[in-house]
Structures are given as structure tokens and as C-alpha cells.
Amino acid sequence: VSEFEARYQALRNRFLLRCAEDLAKLEAAAVDLTAAEPQALRLTVHRLAGASGTFGFPELGAIAGEADDALITGPAGAGPQIERLIGALRETLAVD
Amino acid sequence: MNRALNILYVDDEPDIREVAAIALELDEGISTRVVGSGREALEALREPGYHPDLVMLDVMMPQMDGPATLAEIRRMPGLERLPVIFITARAQSHELAGFLALGAIGVITKPFDPMMLPVEVRAMVVRAGP
């Protein structure tokens, strides 16, 4: 299990680096969601919804899940959920 | 040691597929190969001599999603009954039933607990029978 823990921590650190990249993508998309590429935005958010809990961030995952649901009908109506996800990502990266 | 179980794990998300692989291999009987897309999974399954006991398929992947990959697997000679487990971040009950109706032996929802993943997979394989 100790070898597992070491490898898990390395993957968790890499996940956090990717969260920083995702934050930048979401901030850029949030400037004008009507111009955002729907599929790319959905994949970014869906990834966060699926992975965050596994790496110890269940609340971030839940907020990403809400944004993922909101994006089903397209980015234009998902502004509040994307803003909330941006806030949760900023908080996660500031704390961890 | 548990019965040997050779798994092909398919997920476009590198962090998740790698954590899944190390988690699955906490069970010493499990060996895991990971690939990043449905297309790569089909290529792996066409390799002579490669015969996994189980395929674990992420549902939402770009280009070819999990259900489409399963449909292609079922068209491959000899793989009509290869056990498949879907992995999904979307887990509403009607969707779960739909995934099972496609021929999967089980559905694992993300986020998964890495320590429990091999246990869940073993249980699904046992329930599915020989």
C-alpha cells in the first residue's frame, strides 16, 4: 500500500497541475460563454466532475457535476455554474 | 491470491486511468493495461495473443465514446461475450439501466474510491458468472 500511496500522491499532484490549466481555460471561456467551444468546455468540466473526488476533492467534483449538467443544453445558460466552478478551483488551488 | 484477471482499462483521462491501474493492481491477481481511447482499445483487442478477461470503458470519451466502443467490440469475432464494465461520471438511474442494457456486466461511477475499485470489479465479475 505504501508504494500505492506514493504513486497516488504523484498522480494527485499532477491532477492539481491540470486543475490550474483547467482554471485558465474556464476563465477564458467565461469571458464570453456564447463563443466557447461546447465540446471542449464540456470535456474539461466533465473530467473535473469525474476525477476530483477520486483525488480527495469531493466538493469540487460536486460543483463540477452541476456545471456538467448545466452544459448539457449548451454553454450559454451555464454561466452561474461555471463561475461557481471557477471559484471552487481557485479555492482548491489556493489551499492545497 | 485471487484468480488472475487481465483487464483492459480505457479512459481518455490520464490521471484517472493511471490511478485506476495502480488501484486495480492492489489486488495481486489483477494485471491491467491502460489505453486512452476507444480506437486504441480496438487496436489492442486486435493484437494476436492479447486476450483480456475484462474491458473497463469510460462512457464519455471524444471521437468514440464507451457505448460506441462496446458496439465495435461486439462486432469483433470471438468478443461477442467479452465482459465489459462501464465507468461514468453520470450516474442517474435510468442511465445506469441503459448502460446495462447495452450488455455491460456492471457500471462503476466516478469518483471511485481507489481502495475499493478492485473489490467492486471482482464482485461484478463474480456476479456475472463464468
Side-chain angles (χ1 to χ4, degrees), chain A residues 1 3-5 7-8 11 14-16 18 39 42-43 46-47 49-55 58 65 68-69 72, chain B residues 12-16 18-23 25-26 58 60-63 88-90 92 110-115:
Chain A
V1 173
E3 185 191 340
F4 168 82
E5 287 293 343
R7 294 173 70 186
Y8 175 79
L11 289 170
R14 194 175 74 183
F15 168 76
L16 287 168
R18 286 166 59 93
Q39 184 67 7
R42 180 91 200 277
L43 282 171
H46 189 80
R47 184 188 79 82
S52 300
T54 294
F55 288 107
D68 191 26
D69 287 342
I72 291 172
Chain B
D12 64 307
E13 168 49 48
D15 301 324
I16 285 294
E18 290 181 40
V19 81
I22 63 173
E25 292 182 359
L26 287 171
D58 184 33
M60 187 169 169
M61 296 186 286
Q63 279 92 50
T88 180
R90 303 192 54 75
Q92 293 176 11
K110 293 194 258 185
F112 54 75
D113 176 349
M115 303 302 284

Side-chain angles (χ1 to χ4, degrees), chain B residues 48-100:
Chain B
Y50 182 59
H51 304 293
D53 304 301
L54 171 71
V55 177
M56 295 179 69
L57 270 177
D58 184 33
V59 169
M60 187 169 169
M61 296 186 286
Q63 279 92 50
M64 181 183 285
D65 65 12
T69 305
L70 175 56
E72 289 297 320
I73 291 171
R74 291 289 180 253
R75 289 191 194 101
M76 296 170 77
L79 302 185
E80 297 86 353
R81 296 172 60 83
L82 177 64
V84 168
I85 292 173
F86 279 124
I87 309 125
T88 180
R90 303 192 54 75
Q92 293 176 11
S93 56
H94 68 282
E95 292 170 320
L96 294 182
F99 296 142
L100 294 174

Side-chain angles (χ1 to χ4, degrees), chain B residues 101-112:
Chain B
L102 293 173
I105 63 167
V107 181
I108 288 175
T109 55
K110 293 194 258 185
F112 54 75

